[in-house]
Amino acid sequence: MRERNISDIRAFNRFYTNVIGLLDQHVLNSKYSLPEVRILYELYHQEDLTASDIITSIRIDKGYLSRIIRQFEKKKLITKAKSSTDARSLHLRLTKKGRSEFEVLNDASHNQIKDTLEPLTDAECDKLTRNMTEIQKILSKTQK
Amino acid sequence: MRERNISDIRAFNRFYTNVIGLLDQHVLNSKYSLPEVRILYELYHQEDLTASDIITSIRIDKGYLSRIIRQFEKKKLITKAKSSTDARSLHLRLTKKGRSEFEVLNDASHNQIKDTLEPLTDAECDKLTRNMTEIQKILSKTQK
DNA sequence: CTTAATTAGTTGACATAATCAACTAATTAA
DNA sequence: TTAATTAGTTGATTATGTCAACTAATTAAG
């Protein structure tokens, strides 16, 4: 009963864990950690998040996050501002420096994928991404 | 040029990093770490590996691996045997206990995927796994 | 309204995971 | 036969992540 599907999925998971591990290498060689980059990512794509918002979107301990935020502030990558509606929460925004730091990392990731696709034909690239969006669509049905 | 493909792939990577993170939860709640389970996996599927073989197949520091192996030995999960052809290398084998410990983890992973698939139709499951094997086929051409 | 419960974020103390370099011993290459 | 390489170990250290206790602000319950 779906045994074959299950083992195929598990094989894919092992395979893709490795793909992601390789792609993460360049981040690990940068001056930011993976969680740090994910946080910068969140702030880049949605200004004005609170620490709680970030906890909701990525799996991270609030104490750990708090320290990363403090570091970011010290490095002038973000600014904190007390919310006017809820004095407990802090609204976080990337500074100009923060945005540009993220963009460097982002461009590197982008180019890394571009290089990876280089040996493929356009048709293969399209097929690849269709498969990916299809997987997302299907798996989204499994967790609401 | 391929910008759309690249951003779709990156979106998939973020999505799937999260999927894998959720699936890894049960391992993190077990008494073994992710690298430990990967090592058990390797030994389960190919008896008689050396530490070097494992380093070749998974990305792990040899010192780190050496300590994990020592722990495994202490817990009677594996046995070490000096190679007759190369006295530097150690042939590693799971004990009966090692195999059964791995099987518990393995069954849990299996059932976790099974549960995940539960809300899907058979057709969706098949489509999902076809997409996955397709991705592996295409990415293998990019030489990793 | 007042008290209890909850939530946002901080901090200290730890635990776990991972890296690095120096080292021994065995093997292979020059 | 010496030099270089390889397998594995060990000590020291850093990076990463967890947990619980705590303050202050807000919301819910009676």
Side-chain angles (χ1 to χ4, degrees), chain A residues 1 16 19 37 77 95 113-114 130 142:
Chain A
M1 203 167 103
Y16 217 76
V19 169
V37 174
L77 300 180
T95 60
I113 303 285
K114 192 177 201 165
R130 268 200 310 278
T142 67

Side-chain angles (χ1 to χ4, degrees), chain A residues 52 62 66-67 70 80 88 90:
Chain A
S52 288
K62 61 184 178 171
S66 175
R67 277 174 251 254
R70 192 169 55 203
K80 277 180 180 176
R88 290 169 307 178
L90 295 171

